[in-house]
Amino acid sequence: MIQFSIITIFPNMFDTIFQYGIIKKAIQKKIININIFNLRKYSTNKKGTVDDKVYGGGSGMIIMFLPLFKAVQAAKKSLNKKSKVIYLSPQGKLLNYQQIKRFIKKKHLIFICGRYKGIDERFIKSQVDEEWSIGDYILTGGELPAMIFIDTITRSIPGVLNNKQSLHEDSFINGLLDYPNYTRPKKINNFSVPSILLSGNHKKIKQWRLKHAIKNTQLKKPKMLINYKKLNKKNFFQK
Ligand code: SAM
């Protein structure tokens, strides 16, 4: 089981997000577990303050070292498992599929959700194992990135998806984007489902799908195709 601990000043943001679909089932099957830690409970004053002005002047508040430290200690103590502390930050490495495969092997991931202008640098230097970003843009807090991490890690755990939701055909998994997919009806105005997909010839359907996955990748993410060609050097041109 992977344990996820989330440290946040907005615990209620997570109230419903994990109560749906695949994530809900993964929790029910005890494949994952999620614990939310309200950072304000680890404040050093009665008001529950966790932030203060930035040294050197300027606008914005910074989350203080001590509440974060105490919350992380509590998260670690609650499970007594090997933990990895992840700070969700626009300055971190960009999340991608290869990295997610690494995370599914971990026992306990502790996510720090920053807010305001960020968190005290000394906490990052001394307590954070890895800094991760979900994109080159700035959000108001780390809660959405934490949700995204948990969602994508969970669906990548073997056994979480059933055959109908099969993982190995998803974009990125085999180095290509997914092929185009269709469902009923067969015809919408002038747009018909490609006839090969209705033929029942599984070999031909497989070939069609590979061809169109390559075409899709070439069109939408050509850089990905360079790596794919390298990995599949021998038989790429036969496909
Ligand atoms: N001043 C910080 C900087 O420029 O690096 C940005 C602070 S941001 C307004 C507040 C918090 O949102 C961050 O501490 C981080 O936890 C989260 N955050 C914002 N953008 C993010 C991103 N692209 N990926 C992951 N976390 C992000």
Side-chain angles (χ1 to χ4, degrees):
M1 180 196 277
I2 303 188
Q3 300 274 353
F4 298 108
S5 295
I6 303 167
I7 295 173
T8 170
I9 60 164
F10 292 130
N12 294 346
M13 277 183 78
F14 297 90
D15 280 354
T16 55
I17 188 83
F18 301 129
Q19 288 177 23
Y20 298 94
I22 290 163
I23 307 296
K24 179 185 171 183
K25 282 192 191 136
I27 296 170
Q28 284 170 342
K29 287 192 208 160
K30 300 197 184 329
I31 296 172
I32 64 161
N33 189 41
I34 300 166
N35 282 314
I36 316 279
F37 290 80
N38 183 351
L39 186 61
R40 293 202 185 280
K41 283 198 181 153
Y42 302 91
S43 163
T44 50
N45 64 32
K46 281 185 189 149
K47 279 193 206 154
T49 314
V50 294
D51 58 309
D52 210 331
K53 285 183 216 151
V54 57
Y55 277 127
S59 60
M61 303 297 273
I62 296 292
I63 299 187
M64 292 183 282
F65 178 96
L66 210 50
L68 286 169
F69 180 77
K70 284 170 43 181
V72 166
Q73 292 310 309
K76 285 184 175 171
K77 221 170 150 189
S78 70
L79 288 171
N80 210 11
K81 281 187 172 185
K82 207 167 176 234
S83 316
K84 207 162 245 316
V85 178
I86 294 174
Y87 173 42
L88 300 154
S89 156
Q91 299 181 23
K93 280 184 270 175
L94 208 56
L95 184 64
N96 64 34
Y97 175 68
Q98 291 305 325
Q99 294 300 327
I100 290 157
K101 281 200 288 191
R102 192 168 64 82
F103 287 126
I104 64 176
K105 294 182 188 133
K106 304 290 174 211
K107 296 261 177 282
H108 182 202
L109 296 173
I110 303 175
F111 293 111
I112 311 292
C113 305
R115 277 273 153 182
Y116 316 119
K117 203 174 152 49
I119 69 177
D120 193 300
E121 187 67 19
R122 290 164 294 183
F123 182 83
I124 302 173
K125 288 279 185 297
S126 64
Q127 308 299 320
V128 168
D129 295 311
E130 297 181 21
E131 256 182 281
W132 282 94
S133 162
I134 60 155
D136 290 341
Y137 43 80
I138 306 290
L139 298 161
T140 53
E143 287 76 10
L144 291 173
M147 292 171 195
I148 288 171
F149 258 77
I150 292 174
D151 188 290
T152 186
I153 292 171
T154 303
R155 80 186 295 286
S156 304
I157 301 171
V160 166
L161 296 187
N162 59 34
N163 282 344
K164 276 188 192 161
Q165 303 152 331
S166 153
L167 182 72
H168 66 271
E169 286 172 348
D170 278 337
S171 295
F172 304 109
I173 309 298
N174 60 2
L176 292 172
L177 297 181
D178 200 359
Y179 44 77
N181 289 295
Y182 304 85
T183 186
R184 279 191 270 192
K186 286 179 189 166
K187 201 168 177 194
I188 299 172
N189 300 329
N190 286 331
F191 295 105
S192 295
V193 174
S195 56
I196 190 89
L197 299 177
L198 309 171
S199 69
N201 184 331
H202 295 297
K203 197 177 165 201
K204 285 209 164 139
I205 292 175
K206 210 174 156 193
Q207 285 168 348
W208 183 95
R209 285 180 166 165
L210 178 62
K211 187 175 150 196
H212 285 267
I214 292 172
K215 227 171 143 181
N216 225 4
T217 313
Q218 172 75 66
L219 196 72
K220 296 175 183 170
K221 292 195 192 282
K223 275 191 197 153
M224 243 176 100
L225 202 60
I226 297 170
N227 285 334
Y228 180 78
K229 278 184 190 171
K230 272 188 211 154
L231 290 171
N232 295 272
K233 240 181 205 163
K234 267 193 228 149
N235 46 5
F236 180 78
F237 293 102
Q238 290 160 18
K239 280 173 179 164

